[in-house]
Amino acid sequence: MMAIMSRHGSSFRCFTPSPLVLAAALLSPLAAPPAQAQSGGTLPDTVAQALAASGLPASSLSVWVHPLDRSGPTLSYQATLPRRMASVMKLMTTGVALRTLGPAFTWSTPVALGGPLDRQGVLRGDVFIRASGDPSLDSQRLAAWLKQWREAGLREIRGDVRIDRSVFERAFFDTAAFDGQPLKPYNAAPDAWLLAHQAVSLQLRPGPARAGQARVTLTPALAGVVLDARVRLDAQAPCGDWRTDLSVDIQANRRVRVQGRYPLACGAQSWPLLWPQSAPGEHSARVWQAAWSDAGGRLRGQVLEGAWPSPPPEPWLSWSSPPLAEVVRDINKFSNNVMARQLFLTLGRPAEGAGPASLERAREFVAAQVRQATRTPGMALSLDGGPCDGAALVLDNGSGLSRTEGASAACMGHWIAAMWHDPLMPEWLASLPLAGVDGTARRMTAVVGRAHLKTGSLDDVTAVGGMVQTPSGRRLVVVAVVNDARAEVARPVMRAVLDWAGDDR
């Protein structure tokens, strides 16, 4: 039996780092030595004042501000120190993907029939699905895909549905290992057959007043799962942290029990949860079965894991994801971590196409692309080697939610500048949240409407990176990051850096 209470844990992900990554982290820890020993410049007065007011040590901050009409930075403060960047690392994963795969790239998932399909729509045999690692196959897109199956004549499957997951290297993944929060959606593992991000969402809304109970539903639907909700409506309580008065218990027999009190003032709310896997592929199997039944289809067998037939059959149908430019927008605008991990692994496919994609290949490939791009003539500054060489760049899973993944502010700044000069800059820049307008930067109060920025946040990391435009139209690369146990108090420091960079002087 697994249970979750409503109090939130840290915004981390679980992963198992390779020996190479652990060695890199030990040789070049992403923690700063004293500021006076590593400082590469002097902070502007407004930034220094914000830092002093926060109580954070000077050694915790790195800043890189580089106007694109100059050959060097106007502000480089401890910029060559390795730092954990949290979700700002998605800028590298998405940028490399656009540069190497192209904005029109799609994940293609073919389907083959293992028997004859008669005129009544009955298949006497199995259905084979070759999973592609598509990060975008949510419940709505799955429903559209299965509608295509029905329109193509399939009504009943008198065999099994067999999923080939071999496109990604398989490894054990403990969703509770990192922070003891196995039902937090950020702890989802990448999966070649990722349906609805392995998550479910409890939808709560007020029910009829006389009943005194909240209406609770579970989406997407999961075949064989029973929802037992007994949530009392409270007409007097304000809508604060409503999760603290609720408990969710996902039992081994797949009964979901929801109990507690829900304020009427909260209206409709959603509570996303990572579905605990009792066996590999259990969530996707339940989601698929429910969606197929909802589409009017019947399945006599089971949803199982199985190899794509050999010799390879001619696909009966094939599903294509949205283009990469659209997927990248979802990743960056909303900082979707499991989608970033899926994309990172896709970049780890062998060049010859043989064998599964692996984290090791992805790390090597992305690092090589970033280092090559940031060594472009005229871009590299007075640093030993390239700005992203050695300890200045350590990759793990491509999402930034990692104990080891990070970069120096100078490395990240050079990467952002390289992407600005790339032909695909418009697609990449448009994927970033616009300060004070949308995505994860919608609540930002600095440089509102004048900056495309990726933010990053962990318990001990606060970071921001992207492009800022001054009122006169001058554009600057800005990267600022704090690594400290009290990093959550660094937001005024980030705001001071952005305000300083975005001011014409």
Side-chain angles (χ1 to χ4, degrees):
M1 183 171 69
M2 302 191 70
I4 181 171
M5 298 302 290
S6 58
R7 300 192 185 278
H8 305 301
S10 60
S11 298
F12 286 131
R13 273 186 183 276
C14 172
F15 71 98
T16 303
S18 70
L20 177 63
V21 172
L22 285 174
L26 291 171
L27 291 172
S28 56
L30 300 180
Q36 60 268 28
Q38 294 292 332
S39 179
T42 302
L43 290 173
D45 289 344
T46 54
V47 178
Q49 290 164 8
L51 182 61
S54 73
L56 292 165
S59 60
S60 68
L61 175 66
S62 289
V63 183
W64 177 266
V65 178
H66 180 185
L68 290 168
D69 58 0
R70 289 183 48 168
S71 60
T74 56
L75 177 56
S76 173
Y77 183 78
Q78 303 188 125
T80 61
L81 291 177
R83 299 286 194 186
R84 292 172 64 210
M85 288 276 180
S87 286
V88 176
M89 295 300 293
K90 292 180 176 73
L91 295 180
M92 291 183 172
T93 299
T94 55
V96 168
L98 284 171
R99 286 166 59 102
T100 59
L101 300 176
F105 171 84
T106 59
W107 286 261
S108 180
T109 304
V111 179
L113 303 183
L117 178 62
D118 65 23
R119 292 184 178 180
Q120 285 71 46
V122 176
L123 172 68
R124 290 172 172 80
D126 298 334
V127 170
F128 295 91
I129 300 174
R130 191 169 193 175
S132 62
D134 183 353
S136 64
L137 199 52
D138 58 21
S139 56
Q140 291 181 334
R141 291 190 172 104
L142 177 63
W145 189 21
L146 295 183
K147 182 182 177 182
Q148 290 181 12
W149 290 27
R150 295 287 285 114
E151 291 172 348
L154 182 58
R155 179 178 61 84
E156 181 178 345
I157 304 168
R158 293 187 179 176
D160 298 321
V161 176
R162 298 186 177 272
I163 315 296
D164 186 332
R165 283 185 164 87
S166 62
V167 70
F168 283 174
E169 189 174 79
R170 303 295 294 278
F172 173 74
F173 192 96
D174 184 355
T175 58
F178 191 90
D179 60 1
Q181 298 284 345
L183 300 188
K184 292 290 188 178
Y186 58 74
N187 273 322
D191 191 332
W193 181 234
L194 185 77
L195 297 187
H197 299 168
Q198 298 177 11
V200 295
S201 182
L202 286 172
Q203 307 292 333
L204 296 99
R205 55 182 59 84
R210 64 180 181 274
Q213 296 286 313
R215 298 176 62 187
V216 184
T217 55
L218 191 68
T219 58
L222 301 177
V225 171
V226 176
L227 176 62
D228 180 8
R230 303 177 186 182
V231 178
R232 179 174 58 86
L233 273 178
D234 188 334
Q236 305 302 320
C239 184
D241 189 1
W242 51 269
R243 291 180 180 86
T244 58
D245 293 319
L246 293 173
S247 68
V248 179
D249 184 6
I250 301 179
Q251 301 176 338
N253 63 357
R254 286 338 196 203
R255 177 179 292 272
V256 180
R257 191 181 298 272
V258 187
Q259 295 179 308
R261 179 180 62 90
Y262 183 71
L264 181 65
C266 288
Q269 297 285 351
S270 178
W271 188 354
L273 299 169
L274 182 64
W275 186 256
Q277 305 271 42
S278 62
E282 184 220 347
H283 174 270
S284 60
R286 291 182 184 275
V287 170
W288 187 92
Q289 286 176 292
W292 179 235
S293 177
D294 191 56
R298 293 187 63 190
L299 173 66
R300 295 290 185 91
Q302 304 177 65
V303 179
L304 306 168
E305 190 160 347
W308 186 250
S310 182
E314 186 70 25
W316 171 60
L317 289 175
S318 187
W319 172 262
S320 291
S321 73
L324 178 61
E326 184 176 330
V327 173
V328 161
R329 184 183 186 279
D330 287 342
I331 291 172
N332 283 336
K333 286 282 187 184
F334 308 106
S335 207
N336 192 300
N337 300 309
V338 69
M339 290 180 74
R341 297 185 64 140
Q342 294 282 114
L343 178 57
F344 190 72
L345 263 177
T346 297
L347 295 170
R349 290 178 177 174
E352 65 277 9
S358 72
L359 275 175
E360 285 300 329
R361 290 194 189 94
R363 292 165 186 153
E364 293 170 1
F365 180 78
V366 174
Q369 291 290 320
V370 170
R371 285 169 179 150
Q372 180 182 21
T374 53
R375 282 182 169 181
T376 302
M379 294 288 297
L381 305 180
S382 55
L383 302 171
D384 293 334
C388 295
D389 283 0
L393 175 62
V394 176
L395 294 172
D396 178 38
N397 58 39
S399 73
L401 296 179
S402 161
R403 292 188 188 275
T404 57
E405 189 163 73
S408 70
C411 170
M412 184 62 71
H414 278 74
W415 172 248
I416 295 169
M419 286 303 302
W420 174 260
H421 293 286
D422 192 271
L424 294 171
M425 177 274 290
E427 284 78 7
W428 182 77
L429 193 66
S431 77
L432 304 188
L434 186 61
V437 176
D438 65 3
T440 55
R442 66 189 180 280
R443 294 188 178 93
M444 191 170 285
T445 58
V447 290
V448 172
R450 293 192 287 114
H452 286 87
L453 300 168
K454 186 76 195 76
T455 58
S457 175
L458 298 174
D459 278 354
D460 53 359
V461 180
T462 295
V464 65
M467 300 293 308
V468 174
Q469 181 171 318
T470 69
S472 68
R474 193 182 194 196
R475 293 185 182 272
L476 306 94
V477 174
V478 179
V479 179
V481 56
V482 163
N483 283 184
D484 187 85
R486 296 176 57 250
E488 74 279 359
V489 304
R491 299 193 187 283
V493 182
M494 304 293 110
R495 185 164 57 248
V497 171
L498 292 169
D499 282 337
W500 180 84
D503 183 30
D504 283 312
R505 61 180 57 79

